[in-house]
Amino acid sequence: MTADHSSANDRERTTASPWPILVALGLVLSEVGIVVDLFPIAVGGLVLFAASVAGLLAESNHVSSQWSLATGFGVLLVVAGSALYALGTGALAVPAADGLVGLASRGLAIAVAGAVTVVGSVIVRKRTRRSTT
């Protein structure tokens, strides 16, 4: 008969969270997509970043619902992207932004990413509510 010399801490190990890697990947993809002006990469990276940050904060019990946080991130992205789009198209005139180029396409990518994040979080929230009842 062998003795069990493992402690309670050894048996209660937690697994590593995937969220930090997804947050980093989303941040990198969104930055590359926005800087190089690659619309699909920017949108996908921002959606991944927003969802991953919401998931990370929900997993660490800083927020009660990751879906409401993801919706808030999405709304923030829509507002910021719309402002950049307005600056880029000349609908909003700010003298400091006169020399900047590509604001319209980059702002559109950010706004679309926000809309996708909002729609996705609402759909997932409704599906999870439906499946739990």
Side-chain angles (χ1 to χ4, degrees):
M1 179 180 239
T2 61
D4 184 18
H5 296 290
S6 62
S7 66
N9 289 337
D10 291 340
R11 285 176 269 168
E12 296 177 14
R13 290 185 186 179
T14 59
T15 58
S17 173
W19 295 119
I21 292 174
L22 294 174
V23 168
L25 182 63
L27 185 62
V28 167
L29 288 175
S30 64
E31 288 298 319
V32 167
I34 290 171
V35 169
V36 182
D37 204 11
L38 297 171
F39 188 86
I41 302 296
V43 171
L46 283 169
V47 171
L48 178 62
F49 179 71
S52 299
V53 168
L56 178 71
L57 292 174
E59 182 181 70
S60 61
N61 294 324
H62 289 305
V63 294
S64 60
S65 170
Q66 66 189 22
W67 306 119
S68 58
L69 184 62
T71 302
F73 279 142
V75 169
L76 183 66
L77 288 173
V78 168
V79 169
S82 298
L84 286 176
Y85 182 78
L87 282 172
T89 58
L92 180 64
V94 176
D98 286 340
L100 300 176
V101 294
L103 287 180
S105 62
R106 290 172 173 99
L108 184 62
I110 294 169
V112 167
V116 168
T117 302
V118 169
V119 169
S121 64
V122 168
I123 289 172
V124 172
R125 182 185 314 172
K126 287 188 182 211
R127 284 189 177 180
T128 55
R129 283 185 185 170
R130 195 176 305 155
S131 67
T132 57
T133 56

